[in-house]
């Protein structure tokens, strides 16, 4: 399966989130996913949440990556912080604290992994219910292994409490890039 990979370096300024969204929209259109498609809208929202989390919670630059395959799109945001993501529950009128809950609700799979001295948080959105290869086998989204027995409970993965390096979902897949050397905090 052929996978197209693109990446953007994002500065440690919250204004960079808008630039990341514009960049993502142009790359989605270039891959054949039109701006008005629900898939594009979902991916741009996921990118906005992950980049915002990286910039706001670490105060460090980040790298946004998108991997396009026939089965779906994988988004990764790598940063220089070694702190694992900490999902929170926002209270009623709180103006923040819903980012990872939103990612969990919109993505088909998501998780995190250590990457160099920092980490990468990733999510995947499938293009269609079932994408088949030439031999008729179901394919996973780019960079993800097919689920093994006992990993899925209905449509959602069964996941133990996160620990360092544990990815949620069907598996983090191989690390495709080394941490960028210029990413310092």
């Amino acid at each position: 399966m052929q996978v197209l990979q693109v990446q953007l370096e994002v500065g440690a300024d919250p204004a960079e989130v808008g630039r990341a969204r514009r960049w993502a929209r142009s790359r989605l259109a270039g891959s054949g996913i039109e701006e008005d498609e629900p898939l594009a809208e979902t991916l741009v929202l996921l990118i906005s949440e992950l980049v915002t989390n990286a910039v706001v919670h670490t105060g460090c630059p980040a790298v946004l990556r998108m991997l396009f395959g026939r089965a779906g799109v994988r988004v990764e945001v790598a940063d220089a912080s070694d702190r694992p993501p900490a999902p929170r529950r926002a209270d009623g009128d709180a103006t923040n604290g819903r980012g990872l809950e939103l990612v969990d609700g919109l993505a088909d799979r998501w998780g995190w992994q250590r990457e160099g001295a920092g980490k990468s948080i990733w999510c995947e959105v499938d293009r269609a219910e079932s994408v088949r290869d030439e031999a008729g086998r179901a394919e996973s989204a780019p960079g993800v292994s097919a689920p093994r027995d006992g990993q899925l409970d209905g449509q959602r993965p069964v996941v133990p409490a996160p620990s360092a390096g544990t990815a949620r979902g069907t598996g983090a897949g191989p690390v495709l890039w080394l941490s960028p050397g210029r990413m310092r905090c």
Side-chain angles (χ1 to χ4, degrees):
M1 173 176 72
Q2 189 175 18
V3 176
L4 170 66
Q5 306 168 24
V6 294
Q7 75 178 34
L8 171 72
E9 292 186 23
V10 179
D13 178 357
E16 288 283 274
V17 177
R19 185 173 73 90
R21 281 193 299 262
R22 289 187 298 278
W23 178 85
R25 283 187 189 101
S26 72
R27 296 314 177 272
L28 290 167
S31 75
I33 301 171
E34 296 304 320
E35 187 173 332
D36 60 348
E37 287 184 50
L39 176 60
E41 294 171 8
T42 299
L43 287 164
V44 169
L45 182 54
L46 289 166
I47 286 165
S48 184
E49 289 300 322
L50 293 179
V51 171
T52 297
N53 284 352
V55 170
V56 169
H57 294 294
T58 70
C60 299
V63 175
L64 166 61
R65 302 175 188 130
M66 296 171 55
L67 292 83
F68 298 91
R70 282 192 315 157
V73 180
R74 179 176 173 119
V75 173
E76 299 178 357
V77 176
D79 62 52
S81 170
D82 65 349
R83 287 190 339 227
R88 299 181 296 168
R89 289 252 182 244
D91 294 329
D93 293 332
T95 58
N96 58 23
R98 292 178 179 83
L100 291 178
E101 189 174 343
L102 187 64
V103 170
D104 184 56
L106 293 174
D108 291 303
R109 289 163 298 284
W110 76 275
W112 71 281
Q113 62 202 28
R114 298 247 181 245
E115 184 173 317
K119 69 179 171 305
S120 173
I121 299 178
W122 57 268
C123 66
E124 296 172 336
V125 179
D126 298 334
R127 286 184 190 239
E129 270 303 305
S130 64
V131 174
R132 304 272 172 192
D133 67 8
E134 293 78 21
R137 294 179 303 255
E139 291 185 353
S140 298
V144 175
S145 324
R148 294 182 294 275
D149 290 342
Q151 277 193 297
L152 298 179
D153 177 14
Q155 299 254 334
R156 283 302 199 196
V158 177
V159 183
S163 61
T166 300
R168 179 169 182 259
T170 59
V175 175
L176 300 174
W177 290 272
L178 296 175
S179 238
R182 294 185 304 240
M183 217 168 57
R184 301 267 187 259
C185 191

